[in-house]
Amino acid sequence: MASQMPVDAAALRRRCAEEMDSASRGFGNAAWLKDVFLSVPREHFVPARVWWPSPRADGLHSLIDQAERPNAWLKAVYSTGAPLITQLDDGRVPPAGPAKGHFSSSISSSGVIIELLRHLAPRTGDRVLELGTGTGYTTALLATRTGPGTVVSMEVDPGIAAQARRNLDGLGLDPLVITGDGEQGNPAAGPYDRIVATASVRRIPRAWLEQLRPGGVLLAPLDSPFGCDLLVRLTGAGGTAARGHFVAKVEFMRFRGQRTPRPYAELGWPETASVERWQELQVEAGPRGQQILDPSPPRVAHTERRPAPR
Ligand SMILES: C[S@@+](CC[C@H](N)C(=O)[O-])C[C@H]1O[C@@H](n2cnc3c(N)ncnc32)[C@H](O)[C@@H]1O
């Protein structure tokens, strides 16, 4: 982090919060969420070199270097809708200039994190499991809400996990950051009142269901046949079962183990599911897998007519 900020980070943070406040969803009625957002310095978590998510005309992603363009870097940090890309191709592309590659880590956009936390609704004292630590920014927001000794976060990339630990330590926050496969969860500290994934899955891992307390909330971006992820909010029903519905359309990078596409029918999606009615779909997950239920499938008009008997 630069020791001298050329523009005022706190003022940009306030402006970002105001923008999100005036958006249709924003903080909603969650006053705690706005307080938490304003109290955590997002710039503390952003590496000095990040890629902008939209490609330039030549297909490359611009590199924003804090040392060269401190104002542009800080404005990017506080743009409400854009994630900043912190790793390409699992780290095989060095942050040395404009580049292209598969996005493998980022700091999620402020807008999407606020959406996630509003639906997750963590309470003071809740035990929380986060999957996909990234920079540790979302982890910091969670820990600021739920308090000391409450948050466990898992990150598959050892270098990213180590940096997240340093970022959190630097603010005096104590979440336990575990290097490992988040799809397995962390039963040792469970069960959890809240489980949140900040990478997307095609199938809800069974371990998350096993580690969710009855009545607890599980929130995860789920790949859909609609060309986007849908944020699913499930409530633990006990005995590895959970039920719920979709609450938002989102875009996340996938968990490493869930990059390979699979037929949607194998993932519990009904043929009748249509994007226009995504909010009506219901989701059940349990020991036998996940089912997306369409409570009001469209009636297929029977138009075939037999010739009148002669
Ligand atoms: C979108 S980023 C998370 C960003 C984070 N919310 C933040 O604001 O900094 C997703 C993260 O999930 C991590 N990830 C991917 N597969 C994983 C897995 N199987 N277990 C744990 N973390 C994983 C990636 O390395 C990446 O850092």
Side-chain angles (χ1 to χ4, degrees):
M1 296 302 109
S3 52
Q4 287 187 333
M5 288 293 170
V7 290
D8 181 357
L12 285 179
R13 195 176 320 128
R14 279 195 299 277
R15 199 166 75 196
C16 181
E18 278 159 25
E19 258 177 57
M20 291 195 288
D21 236 354
S22 58
S24 59
R25 298 184 291 205
F27 297 104
N29 294 327
W32 65 268
L33 184 51
K34 189 171 181 184
D35 292 345
V36 164
F37 177 80
L38 287 172
S39 72
V40 177
R42 183 172 163 88
E43 68 279 12
H44 174 79
F45 292 86
V46 180
R49 290 169 166 202
V50 288
W51 288 281
W52 186 248
S54 314
R56 313 185 303 195
D58 62 2
L60 302 181
H61 297 273
S62 312
L63 188 76
I64 310 174
D65 187 336
Q66 185 191 25
E68 286 174 9
R69 295 191 294 146
N71 286 358
W73 179 87
L74 198 54
K75 282 181 187 155
V77 168
Y78 282 106
S79 80
T80 52
L84 299 175
I85 309 308
T86 54
Q87 191 191 65
L88 289 172
D89 289 346
D90 299 329
R92 289 187 294 279
V93 180
K100 64 179 164 187
H102 169 84
F103 296 171
S104 49
S105 193
S106 68
I107 179 162
S108 311
S109 75
S110 295
V112 85
I113 292 175
I114 292 314
E115 175 103 49
L116 236 64
L117 295 186
R118 207 183 65 241
H119 289 294
L120 188 69
R123 303 156 299 183
T124 304
D126 273 350
R127 295 198 64 74
V128 181
L129 176 65
E130 180 197 26
L131 296 323
T133 317
T135 63
Y137 175 62
T138 314
T139 326
L141 296 173
L142 284 165
T144 304
R145 169 63 171 167
T146 55
T150 54
V151 178
V152 177
S153 185
M154 297 187 71
E155 169 58 53
V156 74
D157 184 302
I160 291 176
Q163 183 60 50
R165 281 186 205 105
R166 287 193 287 275
N167 293 343
L168 291 160
D169 280 355
L171 292 184
L173 294 167
D174 74 348
L176 175 65
V177 177
I178 297 175
T179 305
D181 179 6
E183 286 190 51
Q184 306 307 317
N186 177 56
Y192 301 94
D193 303 293
R194 297 288 185 268
I195 298 182
V196 58
T198 65
S200 80
V201 289
R202 298 180 194 274
R203 184 194 285 278
I204 307 284
R206 186 186 165 123
W208 300 355
L209 299 167
E210 288 168 349
Q211 293 166 35
L212 183 65
R213 194 186 288 284
V217 174
L218 191 167
L219 198 69
L222 186 69
D223 177 42
S224 80
F226 309 143
C228 63
D229 296 326
L230 293 177
L231 190 60
V232 65
R233 185 183 197 277
L234 301 176
T235 304
T240 327
R243 294 187 191 91
H245 58 280
F246 296 113
V247 292
K249 285 183 179 176
V250 289
E251 286 292 348
F252 274 87
M253 55 191 64
R254 299 234 189 279
F255 275 89
R256 284 195 184 177
Q258 303 228 7
R259 287 178 180 162
T260 310
R262 293 178 54 183
Y264 287 105
E266 281 180 19
L267 297 168
W269 286 85
E271 269 184 25
T272 57
S274 87
V275 67
E276 290 80 24
R277 293 180 298 106
W278 68 268
Q279 283 164 302
E280 293 170 30
L281 299 171
Q282 291 166 9
V283 183
E284 290 189 1
R288 289 197 304 280
Q290 68 189 26
Q291 285 301 316
I292 290 80
L293 307 169
D294 187 353
S296 50
R299 290 210 185 110
V300 181
H302 189 72
T303 51
E304 183 196 342
R305 296 209 189 276
R306 287 169 185 271
R310 295 178 190 214

